[in-house]
Amino acid sequence: MEGKKFSQVGRSVTRIDGPAKVKGEAIYTDDMVMARMAHGKIKRSTYAHAFIKNIDYSKALALPGVLAVITGEDAPNKWGIVPQTANEVTLAVDKVRFHGEGVAAVAAIDEETAEEALDLIEVEYEPLPVLLDPFESMKRAGEILIHENEPDNVLHQGEQLFGDPDQAFAGCKYVLEKKFYTSYVNHAFLEPHSSLAHYDPQNGQLQLWSSNQVPHYLHRQLSIVMDMPMNKIRVILPAVGGGFGGKGEASSSDFCAALLSRKTGRPVRVTYDRNEVFVTNKGRHPCHMKMKIGLDQNGYIQAVDFDNTLDGGAYAGWGMVVMFYTTSMIHLPYKVPNARARVRRVYTNKPTCGAMRGLGGVQPRYAMECLLDELAEMMGVSAYELKMKNAVESGYRSVSNLHVPHTEYKKCLQTVVENSGYLEKHGKQPFGKGIGLAGGYYISGTAYTLYLSYKPHTTVLIRVDTEGGVTVHCAAADIGQGCNTVMAQMAAEVLGVNYEDVHVVSGDTELGTFDLGSFASRVTYASGVAIKEAARQINDKLFEVAAGMLSCRAEQLEVRDRRFYSVFEPKKNIEWEKVVDVYTNTVGTLTGIGHFSPPRLKGIDLTRGERVQGANIGHSPTFGFSAQAIEVDVDVETGKVRVTKVTEAGDCGQAVNPMSVEGQVEGSIMFTLGQALYEEMHLDKDGRMMNACLHHYKVPTVMELPEMDTTIVDSYDPTAPFGVKESGEGPVQPTIPAIANAVYDAIGVRFTELPITPEKVLKALKEKQGK
Amino acid sequence: MKQQLIQLEINNQLYEIPVTPRDLLVDVIRKKVGITGTKKGCGEGDCGACTVLMDGAPVLSCLTLAITCQGRKIITIEGLADEQGALHPIQQSFLDHGAVQCGFCTPGMILTTKALLDKNPHPDQTSIKRGIAGNICRCTGYKKIVEAIGAAADRIATREVK
Ligand code: FES
Ligand code: FES
């Protein structure tokens, strides 16, 4: 297998941006300073739903040190990452739809002056009824609409039918249906949004430095909002302090900085306070779900019926895409021959929901893995046996036409069950102690762009010369996940050099070649394809020169450890630099360029061969898998659930940088453990957020860290570049249901609403005793 | 607001800085002195990213008024590597163990670790966890940070034996 011969890929290496980060030398957007830089601040609405009758900013403008004030009228063009549903504006126009929405922005010579100016802006509101519950929102749509052109307070709804679930259910021996609810959570990345814009009035060019994970999509949105061609705008990412999806679209800070810069002719920076990060949200959609699963007498899944009401908050954002992901995610990692999904994404007067790590997967996964656990109990078999029986295999094609070229999911399940002692522990521990099993998967990139386009999703340019050595250009975004290091490793692998020799120019729409951005766990796979192709072109040229220098044939050469060797006569060899030197001296700089276009599969119902609305969403060149067995202690006095041990096994294909994969897996688990047990944003009845700070929001600290035993299972996807798959979103999928299943094992209560707080546990225990 | 001159010794260098009574240490270090390794993740004492060492003890610079720091010795993340630029063993250990992802918590984590190991050179798991309980990391899941701290303690111990 090609996968076993790697020298740069498959090695745990320290990240190339690591030294700067441990020395405090990495520059994040808020660390930058520019001459004449002004500071921008945003005035936020104090109503969750209201008409804006008037905004008077004359006093603010008169304050010494204030340079400019803008309101919604300065940039009425609507933006949104999904162009069909774009309905957000930089600052509210005529109406505010959530508490904390921006209504005006100020640029001043320093932050204090800008703050002071905000207080001088007078906004007159005419309050409207506040709709915070999606069901109430739909019910009262006749009386009050959040968006005038969205009839039922619904952004979009969809129904997908595959096969004949009704008939299938009729023939099932075991059928279970339950409701589940997932909570309203935020990414809580540690670096608040920050944007620094510099508009040069002389050449009409705009540069924006931003804490963002999708420079390309941000670039497009800027072009729309600013009414400027893309080629006059450059987006640059300095170091980014985490994203997890929350920086997976533009932020109002980007537009305010850009508009204020254009208005003042100065560089302007807008950095959010933590509380603004919460109130502008874009976190995970709370989902009100109903799921029904039917098994035949042997335990094979025959049908799944899924109903989901997504509480979307005030604007569209990623909403429609997230909604259809929740439908797509019921088709794997088990074989489901018949399925139906009915889903709707509803507007409410809350800060908008958007993309968050493992988007669209986490919610249905919670429902499905808990139901399977319960079904196994009904059948009198272990959940392990039931899941193994239904698990997909390499080459599987779902009824919705999702194609899984390769999977080691069964190996993941097997490994965790063995390593955790699940079968020996489950159901056999004293009251209060439990173990739960769950699995999951995620896409490794998407098949389609968010706007209609056939262009490649990634382009990589590799430049080789005596001056720079190897430079990889690609506008991908390293937001901390480590893709720059991984790209260097992959390029070094093909070029036969060391990863430390490779310079990576990323996160820049001008110097980097095209890339869609860091989301959907796409970068390793997509850039891997493009890097392989670009590096092959480089090698072709260098092999010819080396062949001449060694007096042998180019096709008889190989390159490794910075040397070209004749495969037949390894004594014939020459240093890589010398060959590059000769090439540069005779021809000049050498470049190679590679592209990646994902395979396009249509979302059809295979039983009828018919197109299904929204079913293109969820297709991916390959998929990553993870299984987890989680152990808990439930304190019956306090109701506290403590995760004591997590055993995980993941299929990420060939790990490029195993240490980095472990970091993704461990980070995913802790991230999601927070949602399972602690995290939730609370709004009061007027829609004001009550806990918009890290302390009261309850992000897990190190004190919640359980023992963790993670395994990267041996895997290699022969259809993928270097055999790779994703590793940063698959492992978030099983955590919540594994915890819920463990709590059931511990105290015999099934929690179907998140988070599983001590109050809920105590209440449930009391009810149980009463019975 | 009226400014007043204060002296701060930051990373062994003396600075005279005009501050207002309201200026926070984090902003003075980042904006007025211009060394930006100290990070601001919340500005309200919840995340630990802004941790600096003041006379050897970790403090949250976002909750500290600069004016109260007259004459104090402050070490920021930039002051940890040695004169020749070699990394401090804690920094090296964070690197080697993959305890850094986005890096935004890293300066605060490393300085909190420094204070912890200065006080307790051989911490067990629980002391390590208690030591960094006030520092949030959203990326790593903490496991590699705890490992890096344990290894750093060993590294420092062997270095000192030598
Ligand atoms: S910035 Fe000081 S504790 Fe968060
Ligand atoms: S590495 Fe990102 S917050 Fe710790």
Side-chain angles (χ1 to χ4, degrees), chain A residues 432-434 630-635 638-645 673 677-678 701-707 739 742-743 746 756 761, chain B residues 129:
Chain A
K433 273 195 188 313
I630 296 189
E631 292 167 63
V632 301
D633 266 358
V634 182
D635 183 330
T638 62
K640 265 200 188 148
V641 177
R642 210 184 135 63
V643 175
T644 55
K645 183 166 181 196
L673 186 151
L677 298 177
Y678 316 112
T701 72
V702 72
M703 298 313 282
E704 282 75 49
L705 171 66
E707 187 185 339
I739 292 175
V743 171
I756 307 173
V761 171
Chain B
K129 285 189 178 179

PDB file of all heavy atoms in Angstrom, chain A residues 432-434 630-635 638-645 673 677-678 701-707 739 742-743 746 756 761, chain B residues 129:
ATOM      1  N   GLY A 432     -25.203   4.561  39.812  1.00  0.00           N
ATOM      2  CA  GLY A 432     -24.440   5.809  39.805  1.00  0.00           C
ATOM      3  C   GLY A 432     -23.229   5.759  38.891  1.00  0.00           C
ATOM      4  O   GLY A 432     -22.686   6.787  38.520  1.00  0.00           O
ATOM      5  N   LYS A 433     -22.817   4.552  38.505  1.00  0.00           N
ATOM      6  CA  LYS A 433     -21.684   4.432  37.574  1.00  0.00           C
ATOM      7  C   LYS A 433     -22.201   3.854  36.268  1.00  0.00           C
ATOM      8  O   LYS A 433     -22.955   2.878  36.289  1.00  0.00           O
ATOM      9  CB  LYS A 433     -20.650   3.462  38.136  1.00  0.00           C
ATOM     10  CG  LYS A 433     -19.638   4.093  39.064  1.00  0.00           C
ATOM     11  CD  LYS A 433     -18.467   3.121  39.258  1.00  0.00           C
ATOM     12  CE  LYS A 433     -17.506   3.573  40.321  1.00  0.00           C
ATOM     13  NZ  LYS A 433     -17.101   4.973  40.247  1.00  0.00           N
ATOM     14  N   GLY A 434     -21.769   4.427  35.175  1.00  0.00           N
ATOM     15  CA  GLY A 434     -22.274   3.917  33.909  1.00  0.00           C
ATOM     16  C   GLY A 434     -21.280   4.074  32.778  1.00  0.00           C
ATOM     17  O   GLY A 434     -20.338   4.865  32.855  1.00  0.00           O
ATOM     18  N   ILE A 630     -17.920   6.135  26.800  1.00  0.00           N
ATOM     19  CA  ILE A 630     -17.700   7.154  27.829  1.00  0.00           C
ATOM     20  C   ILE A 630     -18.238   6.655  29.165  1.00  0.00           C
ATOM     21  O   ILE A 630     -19.330   6.088  29.233  1.00  0.00           O
ATOM     22  CB  ILE A 630     -18.349   8.497  27.410  1.00  0.00           C
ATOM     23  CG1 ILE A 630     -17.632   9.005  26.145  1.00  0.00           C
ATOM     24  CG2 ILE A 630     -18.265   9.516  28.553  1.00  0.00           C
ATOM     25  CD1 ILE A 630     -18.002  10.402  25.713  1.00  0.00           C
ATOM     26  N   GLU A 631     -17.425   6.852  30.194  1.00  0.00           N
ATOM     27  CA  GLU A 631     -17.813   6.405  31.538  1.00  0.00           C
ATOM     28  C   GLU A 631     -18.135   7.603  32.413  1.00  0.00           C
ATOM     29  O   GLU A 631     -17.436   8.614  32.371  1.00  0.00           O
ATOM     30  CB  GLU A 631     -16.682   5.576  32.144  1.00  0.00           C
ATOM     31  CG  GLU A 631     -16.524   4.256  31.386  1.00  0.00           C
ATOM     32  CD  GLU A 631     -15.249   3.515  31.702  1.00  0.00           C
ATOM     33  OE1 GLU A 631     -15.074   3.125  32.870  1.00  0.00           O
ATOM     34  OE2 GLU A 631     -14.446   3.330  30.775  1.00  0.00           O
ATOM     35  N   VAL A 632     -19.204   7.471  33.189  1.00  0.00           N
ATOM     36  CA  VAL A 632     -19.620   8.576  34.060  1.00  0.00           C
ATOM     37  C   VAL A 632     -19.856   8.099  35.478  1.00  0.00           C
ATOM     38  O   VAL A 632     -20.138   6.920  35.723  1.00  0.00           O
ATOM     39  CB  VAL A 632     -20.926   9.248  33.561  1.00  0.00           C
ATOM     40  CG1 VAL A 632     -20.761   9.804  32.158  1.00  0.00           C
ATOM     41  CG2 VAL A 632     -22.106   8.295  33.623  1.00  0.00           C
ATOM     42  N   ASP A 633     -19.730   9.068  36.369  1.00  0.00           N
ATOM     43  CA  ASP A 633     -20.156   8.894  37.754  1.00  0.00           C
ATOM     44  C   ASP A 633     -21.277   9.889  37.968  1.00  0.00           C
ATOM     45  O   ASP A 633     -21.082  11.084  37.731  1.00  0.00           O
ATOM     46  CB  ASP A 633     -19.017   9.314  38.708  1.00  0.00           C
ATOM     47  CG  ASP A 633     -18.176   8.128  39.108  1.00  0.00           C
ATOM     48  OD1 ASP A 633     -18.503   7.007  38.675  1.00  0.00           O
ATOM     49  OD2 ASP A 633     -17.187   8.338  39.833  1.00  0.00           O
ATOM     50  N   VAL A 634     -22.417   9.425  38.401  1.00  0.00           N
ATOM     51  CA  VAL A 634     -23.494  10.362  38.705  1.00  0.00           C
ATOM     52  C   VAL A 634     -23.613  10.440  40.229  1.00  0.00           C
ATOM     53  O   VAL A 634     -23.805   9.425  40.894  1.00  0.00           O
ATOM     54  CB  VAL A 634     -24.838   9.900  38.094  1.00  0.00           C
ATOM     55  CG1 VAL A 634     -25.926  10.917  38.391  1.00  0.00           C
ATOM     56  CG2 VAL A 634     -24.685   9.704  36.599  1.00  0.00           C
ATOM     57  N   ASP A 635     -23.466  11.651  40.728  1.00  0.00           N
ATOM     58  CA  ASP A 635     -23.587  11.858  42.168  1.00  0.00           C
ATOM     59  C   ASP A 635     -25.069  12.003  42.489  1.00  0.00           C
ATOM     60  O   ASP A 635     -25.698  13.002  42.122  1.00  0.00           O
ATOM     61  CB  ASP A 635     -22.801  13.129  42.551  1.00  0.00           C
ATOM     62  CG  ASP A 635     -22.810  13.368  44.051  1.00  0.00           C
ATOM     63  OD1 ASP A 635     -23.794  12.974  44.710  1.00  0.00           O
ATOM     64  OD2 ASP A 635     -21.845  13.955  44.555  1.00  0.00           O
ATOM     65  N   THR A 638     -26.004  15.282  44.610  1.00  0.00           N
ATOM     66  CA  THR A 638     -25.968  16.612  43.986  1.00  0.00           C
ATOM     67  C   THR A 638     -26.536  16.607  42.570  1.00  0.00           C
ATOM     68  O   THR A 638     -26.821  17.656  42.007  1.00  0.00           O
ATOM     69  CB  THR A 638     -24.516  17.116  43.876  1.00  0.00           C
ATOM     70  OG1 THR A 638     -23.791  16.204  43.027  1.00  0.00           O
ATOM     71  CG2 THR A 638     -23.838  17.182  45.227  1.00  0.00           C
ATOM     72  N   GLY A 639     -26.654  15.442  41.984  1.00  0.00           N
ATOM     73  CA  GLY A 639     -27.124  15.367  40.605  1.00  0.00           C
ATOM     74  C   GLY A 639     -26.033  15.617  39.576  1.00  0.00           C
ATOM     75  O   GLY A 639     -26.289  15.623  38.369  1.00  0.00           O
ATOM     76  N   LYS A 640     -24.828  15.794  40.021  1.00  0.00           N
ATOM     77  CA  LYS A 640     -23.731  16.111  39.097  1.00  0.00           C
ATOM     78  C   LYS A 640     -23.284  14.878  38.321  1.00  0.00           C
ATOM     79  O   LYS A 640     -23.050  13.829  38.899  1.00  0.00           O
ATOM     80  CB  LYS A 640     -22.524  16.632  39.880  1.00  0.00           C
ATOM     81  CG  LYS A 640     -22.468  18.116  39.962  1.00  0.00           C
ATOM     82  CD  LYS A 640     -21.048  18.553  40.305  1.00  0.00           C
ATOM     83  CE  LYS A 640     -21.033  20.041  40.582  1.00  0.00           C
ATOM     84  NZ  LYS A 640     -20.036  20.394  41.572  1.00  0.00           N
ATOM     85  N   VAL A 641     -23.151  15.075  37.010  1.00  0.00           N
ATOM     86  CA  VAL A 641     -22.605  14.005  36.178  1.00  0.00           C
ATOM     87  C   VAL A 641     -21.137  14.311  35.931  1.00  0.00           C
ATOM     88  O   VAL A 641     -20.789  15.407  35.494  1.00  0.00           O
ATOM     89  CB  VAL A 641     -23.335  13.932  34.822  1.00  0.00           C
ATOM     90  CG1 VAL A 641     -22.703  12.872  33.933  1.00  0.00           C
ATOM     91  CG2 VAL A 641     -24.814  13.668  35.024  1.00  0.00           C
ATOM     92  N   ARG A 642     -20.291  13.353  36.247  1.00  0.00           N
ATOM     93  CA  ARG A 642     -18.872  13.543  36.012  1.00  0.00           C
ATOM     94  C   ARG A 642     -18.400  12.515  35.010  1.00  0.00           C
ATOM     95  O   ARG A 642     -18.597  11.318  35.189  1.00  0.00           O
ATOM     96  CB  ARG A 642     -18.141  13.326  37.335  1.00  0.00           C
ATOM     97  CG  ARG A 642     -16.915  14.099  37.455  1.00  0.00           C
ATOM     98  CD  ARG A 642     -16.085  13.873  38.668  1.00  0.00           C
ATOM     99  NE  ARG A 642     -14.715  13.769  38.185  1.00  0.00           N
ATOM    100  CZ  ARG A 642     -14.068  14.745  37.570  1.00  0.00           C
ATOM    101  NH1 ARG A 642     -14.630  15.917  37.420  1.00  0.00           N
ATOM    102  NH2 ARG A 642     -12.854  14.566  37.108  1.00  0.00           N
ATOM    103  N   VAL A 643     -17.802  13.004  33.929  1.00  0.00           N
ATOM    104  CA  VAL A 643     -17.228  12.069  32.964  1.00  0.00           C
ATOM    105  C   VAL A 643     -15.873  11.637  33.499  1.00  0.00           C
ATOM    106  O   VAL A 643     -14.999  12.470  33.738  1.00  0.00           O
ATOM    107  CB  VAL A 643     -17.082  12.718  31.577  1.00  0.00           C
ATOM    108  CG1 VAL A 643     -16.365  11.784  30.619  1.00  0.00           C
ATOM    109  CG2 VAL A 643     -18.452  13.096  31.021  1.00  0.00           C
ATOM    110  N   THR A 644     -15.710  10.341  33.717  1.00  0.00           N
ATOM    111  CA  THR A 644     -14.454   9.883  34.307  1.00  0.00           C
ATOM    112  C   THR A 644     -13.480   9.365  33.262  1.00  0.00           C
ATOM    113  O   THR A 644     -12.280   9.474  33.427  1.00  0.00           O
ATOM    114  CB  THR A 644     -14.712   8.765  35.336  1.00  0.00           C
ATOM    115  OG1 THR A 644     -15.455   7.724  34.684  1.00  0.00           O
ATOM    116  CG2 THR A 644     -15.502   9.288  36.518  1.00  0.00           C
ATOM    117  N   LYS A 645     -14.004   8.781  32.199  1.00  0.00           N
ATOM    118  CA  LYS A 645     -13.090   8.252  31.192  1.00  0.00           C
ATOM    119  C   LYS A 645     -13.734   8.263  29.815  1.00  0.00           C
ATOM    120  O   LYS A 645     -14.907   7.926  29.667  1.00  0.00           O
ATOM    121  CB  LYS A 645     -12.689   6.826  31.577  1.00  0.00           C
ATOM    122  CG  LYS A 645     -11.691   6.242  30.611  1.00  0.00           C
ATOM    123  CD  LYS A 645     -10.999   5.002  31.096  1.00  0.00           C
ATOM    124  CE  LYS A 645     -10.017   4.561  30.008  1.00  0.00           C
ATOM    125  NZ  LYS A 645      -9.554   3.206  30.159  1.00  0.00           N
ATOM    126  N   LEU A 673     -18.341  17.725  25.218  1.00  0.00           N
ATOM    127  CA  LEU A 673     -18.696  17.394  26.593  1.00  0.00           C
ATOM    128  C   LEU A 673     -19.351  18.612  27.258  1.00  0.00           C
ATOM    129  O   LEU A 673     -20.302  18.481  28.029  1.00  0.00           O
ATOM    130  CB  LEU A 673     -17.411  16.991  27.312  1.00  0.00           C
ATOM    131  CG  LEU A 673     -17.413  16.455  28.725  1.00  0.00           C
ATOM    132  CD1 LEU A 673     -16.219  15.521  28.881  1.00  0.00           C
ATOM    133  CD2 LEU A 673     -17.310  17.550  29.749  1.00  0.00           C
ATOM    134  N   LEU A 677     -23.160  18.629  29.021  1.00  0.00           N
ATOM    135  CA  LEU A 677     -23.387  18.747  30.469  1.00  0.00           C
ATOM    136  C   LEU A 677     -23.550  20.158  31.012  1.00  0.00           C
ATOM    137  O   LEU A 677     -24.189  20.337  32.043  1.00  0.00           O
ATOM    138  CB  LEU A 677     -22.235  18.067  31.220  1.00  0.00           C
ATOM    139  CG  LEU A 677     -22.056  16.561  30.976  1.00  0.00           C
ATOM    140  CD1 LEU A 677     -20.849  16.045  31.727  1.00  0.00           C
ATOM    141  CD2 LEU A 677     -23.308  15.791  31.392  1.00  0.00           C
ATOM    142  N   TYR A 678     -22.934  21.133  30.386  1.00  0.00           N
ATOM    143  CA  TYR A 678     -22.877  22.442  31.058  1.00  0.00           C
ATOM    144  C   TYR A 678     -23.424  23.618  30.243  1.00  0.00           C
ATOM    145  O   TYR A 678     -24.100  24.476  30.771  1.00  0.00           O
ATOM    146  CB  TYR A 678     -21.436  22.796  31.423  1.00  0.00           C
ATOM    147  CG  TYR A 678     -20.647  21.660  32.027  1.00  0.00           C
ATOM    148  CD1 TYR A 678     -19.587  21.086  31.335  1.00  0.00           C
ATOM    149  CD2 TYR A 678     -20.968  21.171  33.291  1.00  0.00           C
ATOM    150  CE1 TYR A 678     -18.856  20.039  31.890  1.00  0.00           C
ATOM    151  CE2 TYR A 678     -20.247  20.126  33.847  1.00  0.00           C
ATOM    152  CZ  TYR A 678     -19.194  19.564  33.139  1.00  0.00           C
ATOM    153  OH  TYR A 678     -18.483  18.536  33.685  1.00  0.00           O
ATOM    154  N   THR A 701     -13.465  23.563  31.985  1.00  0.00           N
ATOM    155  CA  THR A 701     -12.076  23.875  32.327  1.00  0.00           C
ATOM    156  C   THR A 701     -11.333  22.550  32.449  1.00  0.00           C
ATOM    157  O   THR A 701     -11.912  21.480  32.280  1.00  0.00           O
ATOM    158  CB  THR A 701     -11.989  24.606  33.686  1.00  0.00           C
ATOM    159  OG1 THR A 701     -12.281  23.658  34.730  1.00  0.00           O
ATOM    160  CG2 THR A 701     -12.962  25.770  33.752  1.00  0.00           C
ATOM    161  N   VAL A 702     -10.071  22.646  32.798  1.00  0.00           N
ATOM    162  CA  VAL A 702      -9.257  21.434  32.927  1.00  0.00           C
ATOM    163  C   VAL A 702      -9.780  20.538  34.056  1.00  0.00           C
ATOM    164  O   VAL A 702      -9.529  19.333  34.065  1.00  0.00           O
ATOM    165  CB  VAL A 702      -7.778  21.823  33.140  1.00  0.00           C
ATOM    166  CG1 VAL A 702      -7.561  22.384  34.536  1.00  0.00           C
ATOM    167  CG2 VAL A 702      -6.848  20.636  32.895  1.00  0.00           C
ATOM    168  N   MET A 703     -10.525  21.105  34.991  1.00  0.00           N
ATOM    169  CA  MET A 703     -11.038  20.295  36.085  1.00  0.00           C
ATOM    170  C   MET A 703     -12.040  19.250  35.585  1.00  0.00           C
ATOM    171  O   MET A 703     -12.304  18.261  36.251  1.00  0.00           O
ATOM    172  CB  MET A 703     -11.702  21.175  37.162  1.00  0.00           C
ATOM    173  CG  MET A 703     -10.753  22.168  37.832  1.00  0.00           C
ATOM    174  SD  MET A 703      -9.185  21.449  38.360  1.00  0.00           S
ATOM    175  CE  MET A 703      -9.672  20.614  39.851  1.00  0.00           C
ATOM    176  N   GLU A 704     -12.612  19.485  34.428  1.00  0.00           N
ATOM    177  CA  GLU A 704     -13.570  18.525  33.879  1.00  0.00           C
ATOM    178  C   GLU A 704     -12.892  17.482  32.981  1.00  0.00           C
ATOM    179  O   GLU A 704     -13.550  16.608  32.429  1.00  0.00           O
ATOM    180  CB  GLU A 704     -14.646  19.254  33.061  1.00  0.00           C
ATOM    181  CG  GLU A 704     -15.720  19.914  33.898  1.00  0.00           C
ATOM    182  CD  GLU A 704     -15.248  21.196  34.581  1.00  0.00           C
ATOM    183  OE1 GLU A 704     -14.662  22.057  33.906  1.00  0.00           O
ATOM    184  OE2 GLU A 704     -15.453  21.318  35.800  1.00  0.00           O
ATOM    185  N   LEU A 705     -11.586  17.622  32.826  1.00  0.00           N
ATOM    186  CA  LEU A 705     -10.875  16.703  31.919  1.00  0.00           C
ATOM    187  C   LEU A 705     -10.896  15.281  32.459  1.00  0.00           C
ATOM    188  O   LEU A 705     -10.374  15.004  33.530  1.00  0.00           O
ATOM    189  CB  LEU A 705      -9.414  17.173  31.760  1.00  0.00           C
ATOM    190  CG  LEU A 705      -8.463  16.224  31.030  1.00  0.00           C
ATOM    191  CD1 LEU A 705      -8.855  16.072  29.572  1.00  0.00           C
ATOM    192  CD2 LEU A 705      -7.020  16.712  31.135  1.00  0.00           C
ATOM    193  N   PRO A 706     -11.496  14.360  31.720  1.00  0.00           N
ATOM    194  CA  PRO A 706     -11.488  12.963  32.163  1.00  0.00           C
ATOM    195  C   PRO A 706     -10.212  12.261  31.688  1.00  0.00           C
ATOM    196  O   PRO A 706      -9.419  12.839  30.944  1.00  0.00           O
ATOM    197  CB  PRO A 706     -12.700  12.379  31.441  1.00  0.00           C
ATOM    198  CG  PRO A 706     -12.830  13.191  30.195  1.00  0.00           C
ATOM    199  CD  PRO A 706     -12.265  14.555  30.490  1.00  0.00           C
ATOM    200  N   GLU A 707     -10.054  11.035  32.106  1.00  0.00           N
ATOM    201  CA  GLU A 707      -9.004  10.221  31.521  1.00  0.00           C
ATOM    202  C   GLU A 707      -9.389  10.015  30.053  1.00  0.00           C
ATOM    203  O   GLU A 707     -10.551   9.770  29.747  1.00  0.00           O
ATOM    204  CB  GLU A 707      -8.986   8.883  32.272  1.00  0.00           C
ATOM    205  CG  GLU A 707      -7.833   7.993  31.897  1.00  0.00           C
ATOM    206  CD  GLU A 707      -7.937   6.625  32.577  1.00  0.00           C
ATOM    207  OE1 GLU A 707      -8.651   6.510  33.602  1.00  0.00           O
ATOM    208  OE2 GLU A 707      -7.316   5.690  32.064  1.00  0.00           O
ATOM    209  N   ILE A 739     -22.395  10.036  26.322  1.00  0.00           N
ATOM    210  CA  ILE A 739     -22.611  10.485  27.700  1.00  0.00           C
ATOM    211  C   ILE A 739     -24.045  10.172  28.132  1.00  0.00           C
ATOM    212  O   ILE A 739     -24.282   9.644  29.228  1.00  0.00           O
ATOM    213  CB  ILE A 739     -22.294  11.996  27.841  1.00  0.00           C
ATOM    214  CG1 ILE A 739     -20.783  12.235  27.671  1.00  0.00           C
ATOM    215  CG2 ILE A 739     -22.787  12.534  29.191  1.00  0.00           C
ATOM    216  CD1 ILE A 739     -20.359  13.698  27.670  1.00  0.00           C
ATOM    217  N   ALA A 742     -24.413   6.638  28.846  1.00  0.00           N
ATOM    218  CA  ALA A 742     -23.711   6.275  30.083  1.00  0.00           C
ATOM    219  C   ALA A 742     -24.548   6.675  31.300  1.00  0.00           C
ATOM    220  O   ALA A 742     -24.630   5.936  32.281  1.00  0.00           O
ATOM    221  CB  ALA A 742     -22.349   6.962  30.122  1.00  0.00           C
ATOM    222  N   VAL A 743     -25.173   7.840  31.217  1.00  0.00           N
ATOM    223  CA  VAL A 743     -26.013   8.286  32.335  1.00  0.00           C
ATOM    224  C   VAL A 743     -27.183   7.311  32.516  1.00  0.00           C
ATOM    225  O   VAL A 743     -27.547   6.947  33.636  1.00  0.00           O
ATOM    226  CB  VAL A 743     -26.517   9.726  32.109  1.00  0.00           C
ATOM    227  CG1 VAL A 743     -27.552  10.115  33.148  1.00  0.00           C
ATOM    228  CG2 VAL A 743     -25.343  10.714  32.135  1.00  0.00           C
ATOM    229  N   ALA A 746     -25.987   4.405  34.241  1.00  0.00           N
ATOM    230  CA  ALA A 746     -25.666   4.696  35.640  1.00  0.00           C
ATOM    231  C   ALA A 746     -26.911   4.770  36.521  1.00  0.00           C
ATOM    232  O   ALA A 746     -26.931   4.230  37.617  1.00  0.00           O
ATOM    233  CB  ALA A 746     -24.887   6.005  35.736  1.00  0.00           C
ATOM    234  N   ILE A 756     -27.441  18.042  30.279  1.00  0.00           N
ATOM    235  CA  ILE A 756     -27.870  17.180  31.381  1.00  0.00           C
ATOM    236  C   ILE A 756     -27.323  17.789  32.672  1.00  0.00           C
ATOM    237  O   ILE A 756     -26.244  17.471  33.126  1.00  0.00           O
ATOM    238  CB  ILE A 756     -27.370  15.737  31.165  1.00  0.00           C
ATOM    239  CG1 ILE A 756     -27.783  15.238  29.769  1.00  0.00           C
ATOM    240  CG2 ILE A 756     -27.924  14.813  32.253  1.00  0.00           C
ATOM    241  CD1 ILE A 756     -27.204  13.897  29.388  1.00  0.00           C
ATOM    242  N   VAL A 761     -31.053  16.078  36.614  1.00  0.00           N
ATOM    243  CA  VAL A 761     -30.763  14.741  37.139  1.00  0.00           C
ATOM    244  C   VAL A 761     -31.505  14.526  38.454  1.00  0.00           C
ATOM    245  O   VAL A 761     -32.161  13.492  38.653  1.00  0.00           O
ATOM    246  CB  VAL A 761     -29.238  14.552  37.326  1.00  0.00           C
ATOM    247  CG1 VAL A 761     -28.939  13.258  38.082  1.00  0.00           C
ATOM    248  CG2 VAL A 761     -28.539  14.559  35.972  1.00  0.00           C
TER     249      VAL A 761
ATOM    250  N   LYS B 129      -3.722  20.322  37.423  1.00  0.00           N
ATOM    251  CA  LYS B 129      -5.070  20.747  37.035  1.00  0.00           C
ATOM    252  C   LYS B 129      -5.520  21.950  37.863  1.00  0.00           C
ATOM    253  O   LYS B 129      -6.042  22.919  37.322  1.00  0.00           O
ATOM    254  CB  LYS B 129      -6.057  19.588  37.215  1.00  0.00           C
ATOM    255  CG  LYS B 129      -5.934  18.514  36.147  1.00  0.00           C
ATOM    256  CD  LYS B 129      -7.081  17.543  36.303  1.00  0.00           C
ATOM    257  CE  LYS B 129      -7.047  16.462  35.244  1.00  0.00           C
ATOM    258  NZ  LYS B 129      -8.168  15.511  35.429  1.00  0.00           N
TER     259      LYS B 129
END
